[in-house]
Each structure stands twice: as C-alpha cells, then as structure tokens.
C-alpha cells in the first residue's frame, strides 16, 4: 500500500504542461503508419478516390475492405462520409504538395507516411482536444490541482488509448461530443458571457459528432437540444439548431452521392455486398450474431467484450451517476439523468437492433464515443473527502485500467477467437480479445 500512496503523491504533484507533453509524445509514437484492418481501409480508399479520381467510388480497390456497398455497378464505402471527406482534405495537401501517396495495396502492413499523418491529425488531434477540454472542465468546476490524475485516467485508462493508433470514428466523435458538452456546462454554471455563442458552439460540435458516429452522436444531438430547450432557454434553442444544421445538411448531401437518398447505408440492406456468405452468417470476427439478448447484454457490459471489463475505471463513473441521481438536490442531477438516458438509449439500440459484438475489435468499441461523458462524473467522487481505502481502490483500479488499455495498443482491431487444441478431442474456441492480444504480445517476444 505504501507504494500506491507514493504513486498517488507523484501524480498529484504533476503540472499539466508535462502531462500534455507526455500525451503529445504518446500520440506521435503510437500512431500507425499502415492500414491494418478493413475498417480504416474503407475510409482510406474513399479519401484516395476523392483526391485522385474526384469520386466516392472505390471500384479499383474494393477487394481490400468488407465495409462497402454496391449500387448501380459501383462500390462505395459503407462508412458515414464526413470523416472520410475530412481525411481527404488532409490527403489532398499531402498528395499535391508533398507528393505523398496512400499505399497501392491497402490492408497490407507497409509503412506509409500519408496513413500516419492522416491518422495523427484526425485521431491524435481530437484525442488531444478531448484532454484539453477535460482539463478546462476541471478548471471550470474549480477542481483541486491534485485531481489532475483524472487526465491520466481518461487518456490512458479507457479504450481511447487502445484506439489511439488507428483511424476510427468513435474516439473522434466522442471527443467532439464532450467539447459540445463542455459548452453546455458553461451555460449551466453561468460562466458563459455570450449565451448565443456557447449554445451555437454546443450545437456545432454535437452535430459534428452526430455525423461521424451516427448512433451515439444523433442520440446526444437530440438530448442536448431538449436540455437547452427545457433547462437553458426555449427562445435561444434556435441558435443550437442553426449551428447544427450546416453539418447535418453537408452529411445528407454527401450521403445522397453514395446511397442515392438521405438515409445511411444501414437503412439499405439491399446495397450490402453479401458475396461472402460466411461473413454474412457470422459476425465480422467469426462470432455468430448473438440471439440471446441477456447473454449479449452481459457480454457487452461485463463479459468478453464488456465496457466495464475493458475500462474498469468506469465503475466509479456509474457509481457517481447513481449517487448523483439518488440525491435529487445535487446540482448536476439533470446532467446525470441526461447522460444516463443517452447511454441507456444507445445500449438498447445495440442490444435489440444490432445484436453484434462490433466485429474485430478490442472491447465493445461502439461505447467509446460515450465514454468521456460517463467519465465526467468521476470528478465528483474525487472532489469529496474520501476514505483511505477508497483512494487506494481508485489507484489500483486505475492501474488495472491503464494496463488493459495498453494491451489494446498492439491490436485495436483484434480478432477474438482463440483455438485451443485438446488431446483426443476437437479444438475449443474461446472468444476473448484481451487474451488474443496477450498471446500476440507473447509471440512477439
């Protein structure tokens, strides 16, 4: 226990500048310079086609990804288009001014500077923005300096760290969503000198999140609007809507180019590329689509893909939300209800509608975008007088969370199935991304 106390003392004395320097170095060091999964490959193919061919079609290299659709004789990425368009803007500069091309054969682990810089800017940049705005939130709430350990918990103790190396929409959307929430907090605490500006900024960042991660982003885009209408100002809700509208319109326009209407690909199952029957019958990780809802729910919350299994630090977040809602006099009661409601809606969507384990993934990646909003409530636990036992428990679970997240760095797009040969019997298949990554690390050495 003495060592845990010493670790806590060291973390408490850290100045925010060295902490951010650490995160910058971390981003630079861990960002991938190769396309290592069909998921990011789908987006990179769109970026390449937009810049080099001026079209969303990915006909020439569609075989390098399974995340695609087929319409009117052409292949397209099945991913929401806005993030790919943002990446294409970066690739335009790299391609035209620095003569840096994307790899000829995506999804083959060849080093490529364009992949590195696009991922660094989109994922690493928004990761750093999230930490900066979380720090601003600590300052806004006048949290003691010693609790800057919370920055380390968010940056390294959640799946944000595991997915930092690779292009993905979840960490980007989650960062933008939390920034929108920050401006909501400023309004709530009366720290916003210009109400219209802060409401508009909230709407702008929430809408960006919505078009990048549709399920999570759209849910909270609507909930933030409801919150502003009933809690902040009915009249000024119009500024939220006006700020959000341009991004939504851009998304709908881009979607029109791909699906032929305003609906996302997921509403067009007839456009899916289902030539690979095995891929269709099984999940993208070789796991049958779960039919037992109770087993599926258990696994995405606590089990082999569980949110709390891969980010145990969030146990404190849910406990804090429970305590906040239980005490109706708590000043953040409405915010706790808001975020828990959003989480429940998203969870029900994935449990009832999707029933899939998010494919090849380290943990249940679809919960990443809501993680910062949940994590926010840990602030209030540490800001109260805590027992010696509670402090030590927090440090231990934080260390475990960082360890688990770090294991995910080597293979965020992890295939979970492990074949175990039993003498005189058929092989047994165990589905565990954590165990799969540990075996991968041990084999490297």
């Amino acid at each position: 226990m003495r060592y845990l106390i010493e670790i806590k003392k060291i973390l408490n004395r850290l100045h925010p500048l060295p902490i951010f320097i650490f995160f910058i170095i971390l981003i630079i060091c861990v960002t991938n310079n190769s396309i290592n999964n069909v998921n990011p490959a789908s987006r990179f193919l769109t970026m390449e086609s937009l810049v080099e061919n001026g079209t969303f079609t990915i006909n020439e290299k569609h075989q390098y990804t399974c995340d695609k659709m087929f319409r009117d004789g052409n292949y397209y990425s099945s991913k929401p288009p806005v993030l790919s368009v943002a990446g294409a803007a970066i690739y335009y500069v790299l391609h035209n001014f620095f003569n840096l091309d994307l790899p000829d054969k995506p999804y083959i682990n060849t080093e490529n500077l364009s992949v590195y810089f696009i991922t660094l800017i989109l994922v690493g940049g928004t990761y750093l923005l999230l930490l900066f705005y979380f720090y601003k939130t600590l300052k806004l709430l006048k949290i003691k300096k010693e609790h800057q350990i919370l920055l380390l918990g968010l940056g390294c103790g959640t799946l944000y760290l595991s997915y930092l190396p690779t292009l993905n929409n979840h960490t980007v959307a989650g960062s933008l969503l939390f920034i929108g929430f920050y401006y909501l907090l400023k309004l709530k605490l009366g720290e916003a000198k210009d109400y219209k500006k802060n409401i508009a900024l909230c709407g702008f960042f929430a809408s960006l999140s919505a078009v990048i991660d549709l399920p999570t982003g759209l849910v909270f885009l609507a909930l933030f609007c409801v919150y502003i209408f009933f809690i902040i100002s009915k009249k000024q809700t119009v500024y939220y809507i006006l700020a959000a509208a341009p991004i939504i319109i851009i998304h709908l326009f881009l979607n029109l180019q791909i699906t032929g209407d305003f609906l996302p690909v997921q509403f067009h199952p007839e456009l899916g590329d289902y030539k690979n029957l095995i891929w269709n019958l099984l999940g993208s990780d070789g796991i049958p689509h779960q039919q037992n809802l109770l087993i599926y729910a258990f696994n995405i919350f606590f089990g082999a893909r569980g949110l709390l299994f891969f980010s145990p630090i969030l146990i404190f977040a849910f406990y804090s939300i429970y305590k906040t809602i239980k005490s109706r006099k708590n000043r953040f009661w409405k915010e706790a209800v808001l975020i828990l409601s959003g989480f429940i809606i998203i969870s029900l969507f994935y449990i009832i509608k999707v029933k899939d384990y998010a494919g090849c993934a380290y943990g249940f990646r679809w919960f990443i975008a809501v993680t910062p909003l949940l994590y926010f409530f840990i602030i209030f636990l540490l800001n109260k007088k805590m027992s010696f036992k509670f402090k030590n428990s927090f440090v231990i679970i934080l260390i475990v969370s960082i360890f688990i997240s770090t294991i995910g760095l080597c293979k965020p797009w992890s295939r979970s199935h492990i074949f175990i040969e039993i003498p005189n019997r058929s092989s047994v298949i165990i589905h565990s991304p954590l165990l799969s990554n540990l075996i991968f690390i041990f084999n490297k050495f």
Side-chain angles (χ1 to χ4, degrees):
M1 286 297 178
R2 182 168 58 86
Y3 296 108
L4 293 176
I5 295 170
E6 292 301 318
I7 291 172
K8 185 176 183 297
K9 286 180 179 178
I10 292 170
L11 291 171
N12 287 343
R13 287 196 295 267
L14 284 177
H15 189 274
L17 183 59
I19 295 176
F20 278 99
I21 291 174
F22 162 76
F23 283 125
I24 291 170
I25 294 171
L26 177 67
I27 293 166
I28 293 171
C29 292
V30 305
T31 299
N32 284 343
N33 59 2
S34 60
I35 303 173
N36 49 15
N37 185 266
V38 295
N39 189 304
S42 180
R43 292 188 168 91
F44 280 115
L45 289 175
T46 301
M47 297 174 201
E48 182 180 45
S49 184
L50 282 171
V51 172
E52 298 183 17
N53 304 320
T55 177
F56 278 98
T57 61
I58 56 171
N59 295 327
E60 295 179 3
K61 299 181 181 180
H62 73 89
Q63 66 272 20
Y64 289 105
T65 183
C66 299
D67 292 333
K68 58 189 174 183
M69 53 162 280
F70 187 75
R71 181 176 75 89
D72 296 339
N74 293 304
Y75 285 96
Y76 299 85
S77 169
S78 60
K79 301 299 180 184
V82 171
L83 186 62
S84 298
V85 171
I90 300 169
Y91 181 54
Y92 179 87
V93 175
L94 296 172
H95 177 73
N96 290 289
F97 295 95
F98 298 95
N99 200 31
L100 295 176
D101 295 332
L102 283 167
D104 290 332
K105 296 181 178 181
Y107 197 37
I108 293 179
N109 290 320
T110 53
E111 296 182 358
N112 184 274
L113 284 176
S114 286
V115 171
Y116 177 81
F117 284 117
I118 291 170
T119 307
L120 183 75
I121 294 169
L122 291 179
V123 178
T126 51
Y127 171 83
L128 203 60
L129 269 178
L130 168 66
L131 296 172
F132 175 69
Y133 270 88
F134 191 79
Y135 174 72
K136 283 169 66 72
T137 301
L138 295 177
K139 300 284 284 184
L140 184 67
L141 297 172
K142 299 177 175 60
I143 304 301
K144 297 176 183 178
K145 183 181 177 182
E146 65 185 56
H147 296 321
Q148 288 173 167
I149 186 178
L150 287 166
L151 280 170
L152 186 66
L154 178 59
C156 297
T158 67
L159 287 181
Y160 259 80
L161 177 65
S162 303
Y163 284 83
L164 182 58
T166 184
L167 182 65
N168 70 93
N169 63 319
H170 312 299
T171 62
V172 176
S175 299
L176 296 169
L177 185 60
F178 185 82
I179 294 172
F181 180 66
Y182 167 80
Y183 288 108
L184 212 60
L185 284 177
K186 285 187 70 176
L187 293 167
K188 184 240 177 20
L189 297 173
E191 297 289 334
K193 295 180 180 179
D194 188 337
Y195 259 53
K196 296 176 183 178
K197 176 183 175 182
N198 283 268
I199 289 174
L201 285 170
C202 178
F204 174 75
F205 284 107
S207 64
L208 272 178
S209 176
V211 299
I212 292 174
D213 190 321
L214 296 179
T216 300
L218 287 173
V219 166
F220 279 100
L221 179 69
L223 288 178
F224 284 1
C225 186
V226 171
Y227 179 94
I228 291 172
F229 184 83
F230 288 104
I231 308 301
I232 305 297
S233 171
K234 291 181 175 63
K235 292 182 179 180
Q236 294 188 12
T237 307
V238 66
Y239 296 102
Y240 178 88
I241 297 171
L242 289 174
I247 301 298
I248 301 298
I249 291 170
I250 289 171
H251 167 77
L252 293 175
F253 173 77
L254 295 175
N255 211 71
L256 183 64
Q257 317 305 308
I258 298 169
T259 65
D261 58 31
F262 296 135
L263 296 175
V265 175
Q266 289 72 18
F267 285 85
H268 292 282
E270 74 280 2
L271 299 180
D273 181 44
Y274 296 135
K275 292 180 180 179
N276 188 335
L277 183 60
I278 295 177
W279 190 283
N280 185 29
L281 294 177
L282 301 176
S284 54
D285 193 19
I287 304 175
H289 289 292
Q290 186 58 253
Q291 299 301 316
N292 189 310
L293 295 186
L294 290 179
I295 294 175
Y296 175 65
F298 176 82
N299 280 332
I300 67 172
F301 294 126
F302 310 103
R305 293 294 185 98
L307 172 67
L308 297 179
F309 180 82
F310 281 88
S311 300
I313 193 70
L314 292 180
I315 293 171
F316 292 98
F318 284 104
Y319 175 69
S320 182
I321 291 172
Y322 163 75
K323 295 283 287 184
T324 303
I325 293 176
K326 185 179 178 182
S327 173
R328 292 183 64 92
K329 294 180 180 179
N330 191 295
R331 66 192 293 207
F332 290 99
W333 185 85
K334 294 182 179 69
E335 291 71 30
V337 171
L338 172 79
I339 290 171
L340 183 61
S341 299
F343 178 75
I344 290 172
I345 293 169
I346 295 162
S347 299
L348 289 174
F349 170 75
Y350 287 128
I351 291 171
I352 297 171
K353 182 66 178 176
V354 181
K355 291 178 288 188
D356 185 270
Y357 287 108
C360 297
Y362 187 74
F364 195 74
R365 61 185 171 89
W366 291 333
F367 280 150
I368 293 176
V370 74
T371 294
L373 295 181
L374 296 172
Y375 186 89
F376 163 77
F377 284 90
I378 296 179
I379 294 173
F380 307 115
L381 285 183
L382 294 194
N383 204 37
K384 296 178 180 179
K385 288 184 178 181
M386 297 175 292
S387 67
F388 181 79
K389 185 178 179 180
F390 185 90
K391 290 179 181 178
N392 283 335
S393 299
F394 181 83
V395 173
I396 291 170
I397 292 181
L398 174 59
I399 292 171
V400 172
S401 296
I402 292 173
F403 174 73
I404 293 173
S405 299
T406 303
I407 292 172
L409 276 172
C410 65
K411 284 181 68 179
W413 305 105
S414 173
R415 285 187 175 274
S416 69
H417 51 277
I418 304 163
F419 294 91
I420 299 178
E421 298 293 337
I422 300 177
N424 303 321
R425 293 186 182 182
S426 58
S427 62
V428 175
I429 302 176
I430 297 177
H431 294 286
S432 172
L434 178 64
L435 186 57
S436 176
N437 275 29
L438 283 172
I439 292 173
F440 175 80
I441 292 170
F442 289 144
N443 288 339
K444 284 289 185 181
F445 294 98

